[in-house]
């Protein structure tokens, strides 16, 4: 009994003390109301301590001298390490572009390989500056996770891969199949929607890491491997005999993949967004890694603005005047990055399709750089 | 006069702030208050920061629709159910694999621990090799070994290993018929319960009689015939009110029946084999802690080796064994969270994995997950403490 009283008294003191420390000034009528309104109360309470993220990231990056970039654990063509831990891929190039823009050196990037499950927590907690890891832009992620999407660097859709020997013609033949995929992805939800909408049975085997998905599918645990079509193309080359497998024609979802930053730091969001646009606009204007030197002496005003000879865009972004010239010099434009990493001459063999520049009928459209 | 002196020498009641009881109380309240206010500051600070960064918070998310499927469910579950229900499903899966693991690890561990002490050179060396290998290889590697080992060894559904068209074994799992209960099945259940109750009383009576008269009663045989015989008679009377649903190959996979998925097999196997190696050492230590004189005395009384172990050594050794054994049970339960690596849908994979990702509410979900593991651990500890007390030597 005595213990109980001690407990209750201590609790009361604790809550009161905590309240006073935390809430100097804001009054609350009753405890219940406090509970219900705690969140909104504290949001307006001026004295509540909180991590300040606005405008901090760029200063931080400049101070530490590199960009911390969250990538996959290895999806060839998108973000993949080689034997000596050099990362390449179109997702990696986004981080390199940002490093070139902010620090003038595209090699000043450190990579954090993340599973699908870990990625947003790593970004929220400030462990990484950019998440550039085949991440789909969705309403829930944009609104509930405290992150902002800075654009799209690959328009994708979810597909299915099966063994040719199964004799499956299309996704509608998959009733009763066992399906392997990664957990914590949009994939996991889309596949549930697809089978439910078509009234088909299925068994979902969801792994944390992509390598285990590939190994289990390869061993025959599943009839189907499902993920973004681009990743299917990339992961397929890891199978023991890639030619025994085929990707079904159906695309069951929209998967716009792009770089993500923390919510609340608008300046950093702008920097990442415009670094991506710079790559798109350069392709549109025909500015490449090889001709950027001669472009410096162009008499076209939009090119002069792009290379920083005219206008104040760099200054307004908090960057040097030659920020976008540095991106192209060191990383290349979007088309170059695409060809180098995932294009027809690589093992991934993706065609531009909807990812062509808008002038060629695709969706890649950079906002005007004036 | 004398009385008066004594009275005045009696210490007067101390002032409240000098009274040790009150002083202790005061400081306890202070410390506890400090801890609680620290907790309060941390929690409200977190809430503020989450709010400021635009991250959703609160426990309302548990009511949301799950929308994803779960590979193995012990209770009914579909995509339309809530996150909370998915949480319960995954919690049951965790409890299942922990239960299976503890059961087999204990049996195997005791067996190997006894073998380790055997006078048979071969047996004791095999046990030693087992212990040294398994407890020195990281558990995650063992899980992968069994998982991909199991997968690699099994045929595709089309080429299943077929036992009498009722059991099928393939890479998707072990399929067996599942029972369908019809009217009158409750009679069999009651017969079974009666069998167990009768067995309980018979063995009590037999023990008492043996203690008093020294006469032994075939308890084992009588129990077996009661527990199996009674339900058998009941089912004949009720006209076999049970039918089976057989698994059939339809399209890619078997449907119907009951399936044990390879993920469960691999995880249970790895957890029990790994933990058994530690339990074996604990058992060995426990037995060695019982002085040799006990065994000799027992032999001198004419008891054979097995009754000596069962009646004299193990009951005493248990007192040494139970506390570290409890630790192993706790380890096994916590290690079961490695399930996510091989897609066994446990609490960590489903709740702290998929649901965390879909809702983004890391703080709440990790707090609940830690709370659940803590609760399971405390429950195991409480049970083992109770058992330990029961096993303690009563010295009278
Ligand atoms: N775009 C989807 C799926 C992204 C995803 O994680 N895909 C897996 C399957 S290929 C992956 O990239 N895994 C690589 C890894 O875990 O390293 C999403 O954002 O949820």
């Amino acid at each position: 009994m005595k213990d109980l009283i001690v407990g209750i008294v201590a609790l009361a003191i604790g809550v009161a003390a905590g309240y006073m420390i935390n809430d100097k000034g804001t009054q609350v009528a009753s405890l219940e109301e406090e509970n219900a309104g705690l969140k909104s109360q504290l949001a307006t309470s001026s004295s509540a301590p909180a991590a300040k993220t606005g405008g901090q990231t760029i200063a931080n990056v400049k101070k530490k001298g590199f960009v911390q970039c969250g990538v996959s654990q290895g999806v060839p063509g998108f973000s993949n390490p080689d034997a000596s831990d050099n990362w390449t891929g179109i997702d990696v190039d986004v981080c390199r572009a940002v490093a070139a823009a902010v620090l003038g050196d595209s090699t000043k990037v450190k990579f954090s390989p993340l599973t699908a499950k870990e990625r947003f927590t790593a970004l929220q907690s400030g462990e990484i500056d950019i998440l550039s890891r085949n991440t789909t832009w969705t309403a829930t992620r944009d609104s509930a996770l405290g992150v902002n999407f800075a654009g799209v660097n690959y328009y994708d859709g979810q597909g299915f891969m099966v063994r040719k020997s199964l004799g499956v013609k299309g996704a509608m033949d998959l009733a009763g199949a066992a399906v392997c995929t990664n957990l914590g992805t949009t994939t996991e939800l889309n596949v549930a929607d697809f089978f439910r909408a078509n009234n088909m049975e299925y068994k979902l085997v969801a792994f944390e890491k992509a390598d285990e998905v590939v190994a289990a599918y390869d061993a025959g645990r599943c009839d189907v491997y499902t993920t973004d079509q681009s990743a299917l193309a990339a992961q397929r080359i890891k199978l023991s005999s890639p030619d025994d497998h085929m990707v079904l024609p159906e695309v069951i979802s929209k998967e716009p993949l792009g770089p993500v930053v923390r919510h609340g730091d608008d300046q950093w969001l702008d920097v990442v967004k415009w670094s991506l646009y710079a790559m798109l606009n350069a392709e549109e204007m025909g500015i490449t890694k090889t001709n950027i030197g001669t472009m410096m002496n162009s008499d076209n005003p939009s090119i002069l603005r792009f290379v920083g000879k005219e206008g104040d865009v760099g200054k307004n972004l908090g960057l040097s005047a030659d920020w976008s010239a540095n991106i192209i010099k060191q990383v290349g434009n979007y088309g170059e990055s695409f060809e180098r990493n995932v294009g027809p001459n690589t093992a991934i063999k993706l065609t531009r399709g909807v990812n062509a520049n808008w002038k060629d009928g695709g969706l890649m459209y950079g906002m005007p750089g004036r | 006069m004398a009385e008066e002196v004594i009275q005045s020498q009696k210490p007067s009641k101390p002032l409240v702030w000098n009274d040790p009881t009150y002083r202790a109380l005061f400081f306890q309240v202070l410390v506890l208050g400090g801890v609680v206010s620290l907790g309060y500051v941390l929690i409200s600070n977190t809430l503020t920061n989450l709010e400021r960064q635009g991250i959703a918070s609160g426990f309302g998310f548990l009511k949301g629709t799950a929308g994803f499927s779960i590979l193995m469910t012990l209770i009914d579950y579909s995509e339309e159910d809530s996150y909370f229900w998915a949480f319960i499903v995954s919690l049951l899966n965790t409890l299942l694999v922990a239960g299976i693991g503890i059961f087999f690890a204990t049996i195997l561990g005791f067996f190997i621990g006894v073998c380790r002490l055997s006078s048979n050179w071969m047996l004791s060396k095999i046990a030693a090799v087992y212990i040294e290998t398994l407890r020195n290889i990281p558990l995650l590697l063992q899980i992968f070994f069994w998982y991909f080992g199991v997968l690699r060894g099994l045929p595709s559904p089309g080429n299943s290993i077929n036992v009498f068209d009722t059991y099928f074994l393939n890479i998707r799992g072990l399929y067996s018929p599942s029972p369908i209960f019809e009217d009158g099945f409750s009679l069999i259940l009651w017969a079974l319960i009666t069998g167990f109750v009768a067995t309980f009383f018979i063995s009590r009576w037999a023990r008492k009689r043996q203690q008093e008269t020294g006469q032994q009663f075939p308890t084992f045989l009588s129990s077996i015939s009661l527990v199996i015989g009674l339900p058998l008679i009941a089912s004949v009377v009720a006209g076999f009110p049970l039918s089976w649903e057989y698994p059939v190959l339809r399209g890619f996979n078997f449907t119907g029946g009951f399936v044990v998925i390879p993920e469960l097999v691999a995880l249970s196997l790895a957890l029990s084999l790994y933990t058994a190696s530690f339990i074996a050492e604990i058992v060995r230590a426990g037995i060695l802690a019982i002085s040799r004189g006990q065994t000799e005395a027992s032999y001198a009384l004419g008891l054979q080796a097995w009754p000596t172990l069962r009646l004299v050594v193990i009951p005493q050794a248990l007192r040494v064994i139970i506390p570290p054994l409890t630790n192993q049970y706790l380890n096994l339960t916590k290690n079961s969270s490695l399930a996510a690596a091989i897609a066994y849908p446990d609490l960590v994979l489903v709740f702290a994995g998929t649901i965390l990702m879909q809702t983004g509410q890391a703080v709440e979900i990790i707090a609940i997950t830690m709370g659940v593991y803590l609760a399971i651990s405390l429950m195991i500890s409480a049970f083992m403490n109770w058992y330990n007390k029961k096993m303690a030597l009563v010295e009278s």
Side-chain angles (χ1 to χ4, degrees), chain B residues 50-374:
Chain B
L50 290 179
E51 176 83 32
R52 191 158 292 190
Q53 292 187 24
I55 300 175
S57 59
F59 291 94
F61 75 92
L62 285 168
K63 289 202 275 307
T65 309
F68 55 86
S69 94
I70 301 179
L71 180 57
M72 186 187 106
T73 59
L74 295 175
I75 48 179
D76 272 341
Y77 167 85
S78 78
E79 286 95 341
E80 291 106 69
D81 283 319
S82 64
Y83 284 128
F84 178 72
W85 196 243
F87 162 73
I88 298 292
V89 167
S90 66
L91 175 59
L92 289 178
N93 286 347
T94 286
L95 292 176
L96 176 74
V97 77
I100 295 176
I102 287 178
F103 180 76
F104 285 107
T106 311
I107 295 182
L108 194 66
F110 268 79
F111 177 71
I112 293 170
V114 173
C115 285
R116 181 79 181 81
L117 289 173
S118 163
S119 50
N120 181 328
W121 185 85
M122 233 353 231
L123 211 56
S124 122
K125 280 294 166 281
I126 291 176
V129 169
Y130 175 94
I131 293 168
E132 290 312 324
T133 336
L134 271 99
R135 69 173 184 173
N136 286 315
I137 298 176
L139 178 59
L140 186 60
L141 282 186
Q142 295 193 32
I143 291 178
F144 281 136
F145 175 83
W146 289 114
Y147 185 54
F148 288 106
V150 165
L151 286 191
R152 224 150 267 141
L154 292 173
S156 66
N159 306 317
S160 300
I161 300 169
N162 178 338
V163 185
F164 304 128
D165 276 336
T166 30
Y167 294 92
F168 300 91
L169 179 65
N170 62 48
I171 190 163
R172 308 285 155 79
L174 172 65
Y175 294 79
S176 63
S178 58
I180 300 173
F181 306 113
E182 288 158 13
D183 291 348
F185 187 77
S186 55
L187 192 66
I188 301 182
L189 273 184
W190 282 115
L192 192 71
I193 294 171
T194 317
F196 274 115
V197 173
T199 304
F200 176 73
F201 283 111
I202 288 178
S203 56
R204 247 178 55 169
W205 165 79
R207 192 160 346 120
K208 219 170 140 205
R209 193 180 71 149
Q210 192 185 347
Q211 274 166 7
E212 282 164 7
T213 67
Q215 280 175 323
Q216 285 198 332
F217 183 82
T219 322
F220 185 71
L221 276 181
S222 73
S223 327
I224 288 285
S225 37
L226 274 174
V227 169
I228 295 180
L230 279 183
L232 217 62
I233 297 171
S235 44
V236 172
V237 171
F240 297 102
L242 182 69
S243 61
W244 299 90
E245 185 193 60
Y246 293 94
V248 278
L249 182 60
R250 207 173 287 139
F252 301 101
N253 289 303
F254 282 86
T255 54
F258 181 77
V259 56
V260 182
I261 54 171
E263 288 76 20
L264 174 62
V265 176
L267 188 63
S268 320
L269 206 62
L271 285 174
S272 7
L273 293 181
Y274 177 74
T275 314
S277 66
F278 291 91
I279 294 183
E281 284 295 83
I282 291 170
V283 169
R284 181 168 78 118
I287 292 178
L288 285 179
I290 306 307
S291 87
R292 182 90 194 120
Q294 297 277 336
T295 319
E296 279 161 3
S298 165
Y299 286 165
L301 287 175
L303 287 173
Q304 305 265 300
W306 173 239
T308 301
L309 199 62
R310 196 170 66 88
L311 298 172
V312 178
V313 179
I314 290 187
Q316 299 187 70
L318 272 183
R319 291 179 303 138
V320 183
I321 292 173
I322 290 172
L325 188 64
T326 310
N327 268 341
Q328 291 307 322
Y329 288 175
L330 300 183
N331 282 349
L332 188 146
T333 308
K334 287 178 278 179
N335 285 339
S336 75
S337 63
L338 290 171
I342 58 161
Y344 177 76
D346 80 327
L347 185 67
V348 169
L349 183 139
V350 175
F351 190 58
T354 301
I355 298 182
L356 194 162
M357 266 297 307
Q358 308 300 3
T359 62
Q361 301 203 263
V363 176
E364 293 85 350
I365 286 179
I366 296 300
I368 296 179
T369 309
M370 292 196 306
V372 167
Y373 277 99
L374 185 66

Side-chain angles (χ1 to χ4, degrees), chain A residues 63-121:
Chain A
K63 202 171 106 208
K64 65 187 177 186
F66 60 87
V67 174
Q68 191 75 42
C69 176
V71 286
S72 78
Q73 296 186 311
V75 177
F78 287 79
S79 46
N80 202 37
D82 67 8
S84 45
D85 214 29
N86 286 320
W87 286 80
T88 51
I90 61 169
D91 288 346
V92 166
D93 281 352
V94 173
C95 287
R96 294 210 183 281
V98 173
V102 178
L103 303 165
D105 185 348
S106 69
T107 62
K108 298 261 168 65
V109 186
K110 289 195 179 168
F111 295 97
S112 306
L114 300 167
T115 65
K117 178 182 139 181
E118 298 157 349
R119 56 187 155 170
F120 294 112
T121 321

Side-chain angles (χ1 to χ4, degrees), chain A residues 122-273:
Chain A
L123 184 64
Q124 289 163 348
S125 65
E127 205 180 298
I128 54 176
D129 301 315
I130 308 175
L131 175 67
S132 186
R133 181 204 177 285
N134 42 21
T135 296
T136 306
W137 187 345
T138 69
T140 309
R141 289 176 176 177
D142 209 350
S143 60
L145 299 193
V147 300
N148 282 339
F149 284 79
V152 176
N153 71 330
Y154 192 93
Y155 289 94
D156 209 343
Q158 185 176 334
F160 297 112
M161 182 156 66
V162 295
R163 280 179 184 71
K164 285 179 182 159
S165 60
L166 278 184
V168 169
K169 295 276 174 312
M172 297 308 285
D173 300 342
L174 293 178
V179 182
C180 280
T181 195
N182 269 96
L183 73 92
T185 54
T186 49
T187 321
E188 204 182 358
L189 295 179
N190 295 332
V191 75
D193 287 357
F194 174 78
F195 280 92
R196 237 167 92 191
N198 291 300
N199 236 323
M200 300 195 292
E201 289 281 315
Y202 73 109
K203 284 277 174 215
L204 187 76
V205 191
F207 293 83
E208 179 168 0
K209 292 191 178 171
D211 281 346
E212 267 83 75
V213 186
V214 176
Y217 170 71
D218 212 10
R221 175 66 182 91
C222 295
D223 304 298
V224 184
Y225 175 15
T226 182
T227 183
D228 305 338
Q229 285 217 322
S230 63
L232 282 182
Q235 301 288 40
R236 180 177 173 170
I237 60 180
K238 292 185 185 166
L239 294 170
S240 49
S241 46
D243 290 338
D244 294 352
H245 303 264
M246 60 185 237
V247 175
L248 296 180
E250 284 89 347
V251 177
I252 64 163
S253 70
K254 294 190 288 187
E255 306 288 328
L257 312 178
V260 197
V261 295
R262 261 183 303 284
H263 185 97
D265 189 341
D266 288 358
Q267 195 188 356
W268 185 244
L269 175 64
D270 287 344
V271 167
V272 176
K273 187 160 61 184

